[in-house]
Amino acid sequence: MLARSSLQNFGALSSDRLVSSSAKKKHLCINIGHRSKTFKVFSESGTDLRRQITRIAVPSKGRMAEDAQDLLKSCQLSVKKTNPRQYIANISQLPGTEVWFQRASDVVRRLRAGDIDIGILGMDMFTEYGEGDPELLVIHEALNFGHCHLSLGVPTTGKWEAVKNLDDLKAMPEFTAEKPLRVVTGYHYIAKQYFEKVGMKNVVLLAADGALEAAPKMDYADIILDLVSTGTTLRENNLKELDGARIMESEGVLVARKSALLDQPQTLKVVREMLERLEAHLKAEGNFTLVTNMRGESPEEVAQKVLDAGPLVAGLQGPTVSRVFTRDANGNAHDGDFYGVTICVPQKRLFEAIKILREIGGSGIMVSPLTYIFDEQPERWDSLLKELGIEDYENFVPSYDEGSFDN
């Protein structure tokens, strides 16, 4: 019999993966998956003892944590935490799941170790701690929160005053193999990749916990490599960004373990449900529905009038035109010469669209925000199935009876 301590030495199998106490008494066989990250554990009788709960990890603190939970709530996926000090919660709309609150760096570490299956975090942290691991997949790369970028920050005075861009930095003669450019950052993996890419060899990376902007002033480092949102913190500490030295853009992303999607049917179903809701909500975000009445001889005439008014009022595939019924002199329903027109427009161009509709005869214009726009199939879902090599999802994933997803 293989002892529990031997299992734990592999680094990927936590104690809760052994489902029942009786199963522990049986012989176990272990199949080590890709990069020794994934394990399949079976009892002597062949029963699959893998964890049956899908774990979703989100940041535990800060703005990213708030934004991630707000996004899920907007998609009718409410994270329910019975105690604010707990690090585990659930989403009632996704049965068979647990939500774990982790530091952003630990979200990636736990994904790589196989302890969690799905994660939400910033692209910067995913790239830094994921280190290009092919076992990790970005399922949705644009969750529309946590926007920032990684950039170089250099002093604004002294010898740095004339340094305006990356080429100026590379041309500085002060930095040699004996006296390299000192860069303080919390992103060593990304920094190493970046400086190799731009051909800068005389660089040494230094570590610091917070307040990186003070390092050049203290002469602990020459420049910094850090996240920038508005640039205010840089300016207030007499630092500036260099032209051409923006390293990467970052925002919230949805990620998962490839092996979890392939080996755990319920996890792939959870991902599909999340993608459906996220894509529909994010596509609708910032859009409004306009409904107006318009006179015409036929629905075709009204539709043509709207289409001729320009692409802004043409809707997603085209305007929806339906007959408006009014009352005749006797109070009976009468299909007069009014038609209802429904279109979708961006919020930023809302009043421009209203003006156009009025010019072509629209009246009684009603406006309401859109919550979801569901496509026939989420584009990213199709891309994920292709990445996983799944041609027929319905046959790949057997019927799962642990509970159905509801609204």
Side-chain angles (χ1 to χ4, degrees):
M1 177 176 180
L2 190 60
R4 179 187 297 273
S5 59
S6 299
L7 291 174
Q8 290 175 332
N9 286 338
F10 286 102
L13 188 62
S14 56
S15 60
D16 68 328
R17 316 267 307 264
L18 301 179
V19 178
S20 66
S21 57
S22 60
K24 298 175 191 175
K25 300 177 182 178
K26 294 182 178 293
H27 293 293
L28 302 178
C29 67
I30 298 180
N31 176 26
I32 303 178
H34 179 68
R35 290 171 61 93
S36 299
K37 302 290 186 185
T38 306
F39 293 76
K40 293 181 180 179
V41 184
F42 299 89
S43 69
E44 188 178 43
S45 62
T47 303
D48 190 347
L49 301 180
R50 289 171 296 173
R51 171 166 46 81
Q52 296 300 310
I53 295 292
T54 294
R55 288 177 175 169
I56 305 168
V58 298
S60 57
K61 297 179 181 178
R63 185 63 182 270
M64 288 292 288
E66 296 174 7
D67 288 346
Q69 291 188 57
D70 287 345
L71 175 61
L72 292 173
K73 187 175 181 180
S74 297
C75 297
Q76 305 300 310
L77 297 173
S78 300
V79 178
K80 295 184 178 179
K81 201 175 183 182
T82 56
N83 187 323
R85 295 187 178 184
Q86 285 184 334
Y87 284 90
I88 185 171
N90 65 76
I91 298 176
S92 61
Q93 296 87 355
L94 297 177
T97 63
E98 294 173 344
V99 178
W100 286 75
F101 298 93
Q102 300 281 296
R103 292 185 303 177
S105 57
D106 287 337
V107 171
V108 188
R109 292 189 180 107
R110 299 277 62 80
L111 273 169
R112 298 184 74 179
D115 297 320
I116 63 172
D117 310 305
I118 303 167
I120 296 177
L121 73 163
M123 187 65 184
D124 59 313
M125 299 299 281
F126 175 77
T127 304
E128 174 66 19
Y129 291 94
E131 299 179 327
D133 190 342
E135 169 70 2
L136 304 184
L137 299 178
V138 178
I139 298 172
H140 199 302
E141 76 292 347
L143 297 182
N144 201 28
F145 69 85
H147 293 278
C148 56
H149 62 274
L150 274 174
S151 186
L152 296 181
V154 307
T156 57
T157 58
K159 65 183 179 183
W160 298 98
E161 190 171 356
V163 179
K164 306 294 184 183
N165 53 49
L166 181 62
D167 289 335
D168 292 340
L169 177 64
K170 294 168 69 174
M172 294 183 75
E174 295 93 328
F175 304 112
T176 63
E178 293 74 26
K179 187 182 178 182
L181 175 70
R182 299 170 301 166
V183 183
V184 63
T185 182
Y187 295 88
H188 283 231
Y189 174 80
I190 293 175
K192 183 176 182 294
Q193 300 288 318
Y194 174 73
F195 287 118
E196 288 179 355
K197 178 182 177 182
V198 299
M200 293 183 66
K201 297 181 180 179
N202 299 324
V203 175
V204 60
L205 301 177
L206 306 175
D209 294 327
L212 301 188
E213 293 82 5
K217 189 72 172 177
M218 297 174 64
D219 198 32
Y220 170 65
D222 298 301
I223 67 174
I224 72 171
L225 187 159
D226 202 12
L227 282 180
V228 178
S229 181
T230 63
T232 301
T233 305
L234 285 180
R235 291 189 294 271
E236 290 180 346
N237 287 276
N238 299 312
L239 298 173
K240 63 185 178 183
E241 289 188 74
L242 294 180
D243 293 338
R246 182 172 287 202
I247 298 164
M248 69 172 291
E249 302 292 331
S250 181
E251 64 178 290
V253 294
L254 177 70
V255 299
R257 284 191 300 118
K258 188 174 184 178
S259 56
L261 302 178
L262 289 171
D263 298 338
Q264 299 170 196
Q266 79 278 10
T267 298
L268 191 56
K269 292 193 73 172
V270 168
V271 165
R272 184 180 190 180
E273 181 76 8
M274 292 181 73
L275 269 181
E276 285 275 9
R277 294 175 183 244
L278 287 168
E279 287 211 3
H281 173 68
L282 292 170
K283 185 171 184 178
E285 202 169 44
N287 287 284
F288 277 73
T289 297
L290 271 62
V291 180
T292 184
N293 291 337
M294 195 173 295
R295 292 182 183 274
E297 295 297 326
S298 67
E300 290 79 11
E301 178 193 330
V302 172
Q304 191 63 56
K305 189 187 299 184
V306 175
L307 290 170
D308 290 344
L312 177 58
V313 294
L316 294 175
Q317 280 83 35
T320 299
V321 181
S322 56
R323 189 178 296 278
V324 175
F325 288 84
T326 58
R327 292 182 181 276
D328 60 19
N330 298 319
N332 297 319
H334 172 66
D335 55 341
D337 55 357
F338 274 101
Y339 291 87
V341 177
T342 303
I343 60 171
C344 169
V345 301
Q347 181 181 6
K348 293 180 179 179
R349 303 185 68 185
L350 174 63
F351 289 98
E352 181 183 352
I354 290 173
K355 183 179 179 181
I356 293 173
L357 290 177
R358 283 173 171 168
E359 289 175 350
I360 60 175
S363 62
I365 302 173
M366 295 181 290
V367 180
S368 58
L370 275 169
T371 305
Y372 302 102
I373 298 176
F374 286 96
D375 287 325
E376 184 175 346
Q377 183 89 297
E379 181 180 344
R380 289 176 178 82
W381 172 248
D382 291 335
S383 298
L384 176 61
L385 293 183
K386 185 176 181 181
E387 174 75 19
L388 296 174
I390 299 174
E391 296 183 0
D392 188 344
Y393 169 74
E394 299 301 332
N395 287 330
F396 179 83
V397 178
S399 177
Y400 188 59
D401 298 325
E402 294 295 325
S404 59
F405 298 133
D406 56 30
N407 295 323

